[in-house]
Amino acid sequence: MPTATVENYLKAIHQLAGDGERPVAIGKVASELEVTPGTATTMMKHLGGRGLVDYVPRRGVRLTAAGDEAALRVLRRHRLVELFLVEVLGLDWGDVHAEAEVLEHVISDKLLARIDEMLGHPTADPHGAPIPDAQGRMPEHAGASLADAGPGRYQLLQVSEDDGSLLAWLSDHGLRPGTRFDLLDHDRPAGILRLRIDGADGVTSLGTSAAGHLLVQAI
Amino acid sequence: MPTATVENYLKAIHQLAGDGERPVAIGKVASELEVTPGTATTMMKHLGGRGLVDYVPRRGVRLTAAGDEAALRVLRRHRLVELFLVEVLGLDWGDVHAEAEVLEHVISDKLLARIDEMLGHPTADPHGAPIPDAQGRMPEHAGASLADAGPGRYQLLQVSEDDGSLLAWLSDHGLRPGTRFDLLDHDRPAGILRLRIDGADGVTSLGTSAAGHLLVQAI
DNA sequence: GTCAATATTTTGATAAATCAAAATCAGGGA
DNA sequence: TCCCTGATTTTGATTTATCAAAATATTGAC
Ligand SMILES: [Mn+2]
Ligand SMILES: [Mn+2]
Ligand SMILES: [Mn+2]
Ligand SMILES: [Mn+2]
């Protein structure tokens, strides 16, 4: 059984791997987890020894099948817990990530199963991120970044930003996964988008930096 | 912030202290937490340095005011979590202790407050043990051991046994906190009690060892 | 192709928890 | 009072996770 620390490393590598093309640089892992590079290097050797990653010094790491499975298991727990905290306990959207970051490592399989059942085997967390199923299969859900979108009508699929003020701002402006809106215009040089959000009045402006965290689907 | 380990030591000392008359022997702490005596000794020095216990070598330890407050805080969390798991998630009576043993250290104050609210500020956990309030005040609830009781009518107040088969056995026989029953007779030499439990049919027999874990109130 | 900037690894320490086994103490019985 | 026994403390290690700073490798710029 991996420790909480090991699970966090695996999850971080999984996130950073993206499509899995190239190995993940050790420095990325280190900064993602806010540890020094030396600490990450040490851990990579551990994970390599445990068969959870393929680690090539100075090239990077990539998850093995076992490591990927473990990462998806933690991701599933994280996202189910987040949704549970929002849906059942009514916690704030922006608060649940920190809570889930620790609960994901400690709840029993039995408790997780009850949560999953109580939520009706959901496929997306409160941020719209897909929840891997019990077998570790990730539901496909294709969204494009709002930062790359041109004028048109869209639905917000996912906010890929786990903590902080962006979530609160989105709530305040009526933007949450599932919300529909019109992208009125996208001033690329200025880096500003103007939206008319269903259910909100007036026009909302936001910058590319924020839009980069929003995954949308044209409708 | 104390670590989970420190919190467990404080909670153990609190439990073992009873009325608080005499200091708790280090060996008791060690066996309660299933660590070697040397480990407990080391920790007592630690806790002493942090101002959480008064530790007199070879005499024992006793919680300071700060240590007692911390212990009650953890106890509150433990019991609220147990009740939550039973009431809201429908987990098994016998499963919740192990789960709470770890959750008690990691849930945020915010989450705990929501749980408390959702349960309606309860004063007893699923085993009937009193839940300290947010200020650390322990609700008084006077029960006597069934092992010392004579024939008569009683109500079960509390089962002071956190894990294992006794809980399952009690459930199976319709005995839970709040249940009423008649103690038909108590054969002290043989160590056997015979009860007629409200809502169950026939007569149930149990031994003094089990009865010793049941706190009852004459009604 | 050389070399300096950047990324990574190594080295030497530290903190928290723990154990095994040796040393020590304290109290009760002779 | 003396000593034995059981409880406790000490000592010396180990594991996991971390950092700071020195050493080293890679690579893109020239
Ligand atoms: Mn999250
Ligand atoms: Mn985590
Ligand atoms: Mn319990
Ligand atoms: Mn605990």
Side-chain angles (χ1 to χ4, degrees):
Chain A
M1 330 46 273
T3 63
T5 303
V6 164
E7 289 186 336
N8 285 332
Y9 275 92
L10 294 175
K11 193 156 59 91
I13 296 167
H14 178 95
Q15 307 284 222
L16 294 168
D19 50 34
E21 267 306 305
R22 280 119 22 70
V24 176
I26 267 56
K28 300 290 181 184
V29 176
S31 66
E32 173 75 15
L33 292 167
E34 302 184 88
V35 297
T36 62
T39 300
T41 295
T42 303
M43 182 57 77
M44 290 314 103
K45 291 194 269 195
H46 274 190
L47 297 182
R50 304 261 279 100
L52 296 167
V53 301
D54 287 324
Y55 165 55
V56 182
R58 297 203 127 100
R59 310 241 38 195
V61 270
R62 115 194 309 160
L63 293 174
T64 62
D68 199 59
E69 188 183 322
L72 283 168
R73 191 188 106 100
V74 182
L75 212 48
R76 170 173 166 79
R77 299 172 145 255
H78 182 97
R79 293 179 175 167
L80 279 174
V81 166
E82 280 190 348
L83 189 63
F84 176 78
L85 294 176
V86 168
E87 291 298 314
V88 177
L89 281 147
L91 286 204
D92 243 29
W93 205 20
D95 288 339
V96 296
H97 178 74
E99 203 89 47
E101 200 50 66
V102 21
L103 292 178
E104 64 189 0
H105 311 291
V106 301
I107 65 181
S108 69
D109 287 342
K110 214 176 251 185
L111 174 48
L112 187 80
R114 278 298 294 131
I115 287 175
D116 182 39
E117 193 184 333
M118 177 166 281
L119 295 171
H121 310 287
T123 59
D125 82 1
H127 313 95
I131 300 175
D133 69 19
Q135 282 67 51
R137 283 182 301 252
M138 183 73 94
E140 262 323 312
H141 101 148
S145 172
L146 178 58
D148 303 328
R153 185 155 175 80
Y154 296 93
Q155 178 173 36
L156 179 58
L157 281 190
Q158 177 177 350
V159 182
S160 43
E161 168 68 13
D162 268 325
D163 39 24
S165 45
L166 175 61
L167 296 179
W169 186 89
L170 291 173
S171 288
D172 286 351
H173 291 76
L175 266 176
R176 45 183 60 260
T179 302
R180 285 143 190 259
F181 61 90
D182 294 297
L183 174 53
L184 304 179
D185 62 71
H186 185 165
D187 183 343
R188 287 169 198 277
I192 291 184
L193 300 88
R194 299 195 319 124
L195 325 178
R196 185 182 306 285
I197 299 166
D198 286 18
D201 19 80
V203 169
T204 304
S205 301
L206 82 167
T208 339
S209 60
H213 294 299
L214 306 185
L215 294 191
V216 300
Q217 186 172 40
I219 52 176
Chain B
M1 342 29 285
T3 63
T5 305
V6 163
E7 289 187 338
N8 284 333
Y9 274 93
L10 294 175
K11 193 155 60 94
I13 296 167
H14 179 93
Q15 306 285 220
L16 294 168
D19 50 34
E21 268 305 307
R22 280 116 27 68
V24 176
I26 266 57
K28 300 289 181 185
V29 176
S31 65
E32 173 75 15
L33 291 168
E34 302 184 87
V35 295
T36 61
T39 299
T41 296
T42 302
M43 182 58 77
M44 291 313 104
K45 290 194 270 194
H46 221 190
L47 297 181
R50 307 260 281 98
L52 295 167
V53 301
D54 287 325
Y55 166 54
V56 183
R58 290 193 137 106
R59 309 240 41 198
V61 269
R62 118 194 307 161
L63 294 174
T64 61
D68 200 59
E69 188 183 321
L72 284 168
R73 191 187 106 100
V74 182
L75 212 48
R76 169 173 167 78
R77 296 171 147 257
H78 182 98
R79 292 179 177 167
L80 278 174
V81 166
E82 280 190 348
L83 190 63
F84 176 77
L85 294 176
V86 167
E87 292 296 314
V88 176
L89 281 147
L91 287 204
D92 243 29
W93 205 20
D95 289 339
V96 297
H97 178 74
E99 203 90 45
E101 198 53 65
V102 23
L103 292 179
E104 65 189 359
H105 310 292
V106 301
I107 65 181
S108 70
D109 287 342
K110 214 175 249 183
L111 175 49
L112 188 80
R114 276 299 292 133
I115 287 175
D116 182 39
E117 194 184 331
M118 177 165 280
L119 295 171
H121 310 287
T123 59
D125 81 4
H127 313 97
I131 299 174
D133 69 18
Q135 281 68 51
R137 283 183 299 252
M138 183 72 94
E140 262 323 313
H141 100 147
S145 172
L146 179 59
D148 304 328
R153 184 155 176 80
Y154 295 94
Q155 178 172 36
L156 178 58
L157 281 191
Q158 178 177 350
V159 182
S160 43
E161 168 68 13
D162 268 325
D163 39 23
S165 46
L166 177 61
L167 296 179
W169 186 90
L170 292 172
S171 288
D172 286 351
H173 292 76
L175 266 176
R176 45 183 60 263
T179 303
R180 287 145 188 256
F181 61 89
D182 294 297
L183 174 53
L184 303 179
D185 63 70
H186 185 166
D187 182 343
R188 287 168 197 278
I192 291 185
L193 300 89
R194 299 195 318 125
L195 326 177
R196 185 183 305 284
I197 299 166
D198 287 18
D201 18 81
V203 170
T204 304
S205 301
L206 82 169
T208 338
S209 60
H213 293 299
L214 306 184
L215 295 190
V216 300
Q217 185 172 41
I219 52 176

